[in-house]
Short mmCIF file of all heavy atoms in Angstrom, two decimals:
data_model
loop_
_atom_site.label_atom_id
_atom_site.label_comp_id
_atom_site.label_asym_id
_atom_site.label_seq_id
_atom_site.Cartn_x
_atom_site.Cartn_y
_atom_site.Cartn_z
N ARG A 194 -30.45 12.47 17.88
CA ARG A 194 -31.16 12.36 19.02
C ARG A 194 -32.28 13.35 19.33
O ARG A 194 -33.29 12.96 19.90
CB ARG A 194 -30.04 12.51 20.13
CG ARG A 194 -28.94 11.64 20.14
CD ARG A 194 -29.26 10.25 20.84
NE ARG A 194 -29.40 10.67 22.26
CZ ARG A 194 -28.27 10.83 23.07
NH1 ARG A 194 -27.08 10.81 22.59
NH2 ARG A 194 -28.49 11.19 24.35
N HIS A 195 -32.06 14.55 18.77
CA HIS A 195 -32.91 15.57 19.11
C HIS A 195 -33.74 16.03 17.87
O HIS A 195 -33.29 16.84 17.12
CB HIS A 195 -32.08 16.78 19.78
CG HIS A 195 -31.22 16.35 20.67
ND1 HIS A 195 -31.58 15.89 22.02
CD2 HIS A 195 -29.87 16.22 20.77
CE1 HIS A 195 -30.58 15.49 22.70
NE2 HIS A 195 -29.53 15.72 21.95
N PHE A 196 -34.90 15.36 17.65
CA PHE A 196 -35.69 15.64 16.61
C PHE A 196 -37.17 15.65 16.94
O PHE A 196 -37.49 15.26 18.07
CB PHE A 196 -35.52 14.52 15.45
CG PHE A 196 -35.73 13.16 15.97
CD1 PHE A 196 -37.08 12.62 16.04
CD2 PHE A 196 -34.72 12.31 16.45
CE1 PHE A 196 -37.36 11.39 16.45
CE2 PHE A 196 -35.06 11.04 16.84
CZ PHE A 196 -36.34 10.59 16.87
N LYS A 197 -37.93 16.21 16.03
CA LYS A 197 -39.40 16.24 16.21
C LYS A 197 -40.10 16.43 14.91
O LYS A 197 -39.63 17.08 14.05
CB LYS A 197 -39.68 17.55 17.17
CG LYS A 197 -41.11 17.66 17.50
CD LYS A 197 -41.35 18.70 18.45
CE LYS A 197 -42.88 19.09 18.68
NZ LYS A 197 -43.60 18.02 19.14
N LEU A 198 -41.10 15.64 14.88
CA LEU A 198 -41.96 15.70 13.58
C LEU A 198 -42.90 16.85 13.70
O LEU A 198 -43.55 16.96 14.77
CB LEU A 198 -42.77 14.43 13.27
CG LEU A 198 -41.86 13.18 13.20
CD1 LEU A 198 -42.61 11.96 12.70
CD2 LEU A 198 -40.61 13.45 12.23
N MET A 199 -43.00 17.73 12.72
CA MET A 199 -43.73 19.05 12.92
C MET A 199 -45.12 19.06 12.30
O MET A 199 -46.04 19.46 12.95
CB MET A 199 -42.97 20.17 12.33
CG MET A 199 -41.52 20.22 12.85
SD MET A 199 -41.43 20.60 14.63
CE MET A 199 -42.14 22.29 14.66
N LYS A 200 -45.21 18.61 11.11
CA LYS A 200 -46.54 18.74 10.45
C LYS A 200 -46.59 17.89 9.24
O LYS A 200 -45.60 17.53 8.62
CB LYS A 200 -46.81 20.19 10.05
CG LYS A 200 -45.82 20.84 9.21
CD LYS A 200 -45.94 22.40 9.20
CE LYS A 200 -44.75 22.93 8.54
NZ LYS A 200 -44.73 24.42 8.81
N VAL A 201 -47.85 17.56 8.78
CA VAL A 201 -47.94 16.73 7.68
C VAL A 201 -48.77 17.65 6.66
O VAL A 201 -49.62 18.40 7.07
CB VAL A 201 -48.80 15.47 7.89
CG1 VAL A 201 -50.17 15.70 8.66
CG2 VAL A 201 -49.09 14.63 6.66
N ALA A 202 -48.47 17.44 5.37
CA ALA A 202 -49.07 18.37 4.36
C ALA A 202 -49.06 17.59 3.02
O ALA A 202 -48.19 16.78 2.80
CB ALA A 202 -48.31 19.65 4.21
N GLY A 203 -49.92 18.02 2.21
CA GLY A 203 -49.97 17.59 0.88
C GLY A 203 -48.91 18.22 0.07
O GLY A 203 -48.66 19.39 0.22
N ALA A 204 -48.28 17.54 -0.89
CA ALA A 204 -47.34 18.20 -1.83
C ALA A 204 -47.40 17.50 -3.16
O ALA A 204 -47.35 16.21 -3.20
CB ALA A 204 -45.90 18.08 -1.14
N TYR A 205 -47.48 18.20 -4.18
CA TYR A 205 -47.50 17.64 -5.61
C TYR A 205 -46.10 16.96 -5.87
O TYR A 205 -45.00 17.53 -5.52
CB TYR A 205 -47.76 18.63 -6.57
CG TYR A 205 -49.08 19.30 -6.49
CD1 TYR A 205 -49.18 20.59 -6.15
CD2 TYR A 205 -50.25 18.56 -6.66
CE1 TYR A 205 -50.42 21.22 -6.04
CE2 TYR A 205 -51.41 19.18 -6.67
CZ TYR A 205 -51.60 20.54 -6.30
OH TYR A 205 -52.82 21.16 -6.13
#
Side-chain angles (χ1 to χ4, degrees):
Chain A
R194 303 275 293 284
H195 311 289
F196 57 82
K197 186 172 166 57
L198 304 188
M199 306 299 292
K200 54 198 171 194
V201 55
Y205 297 113

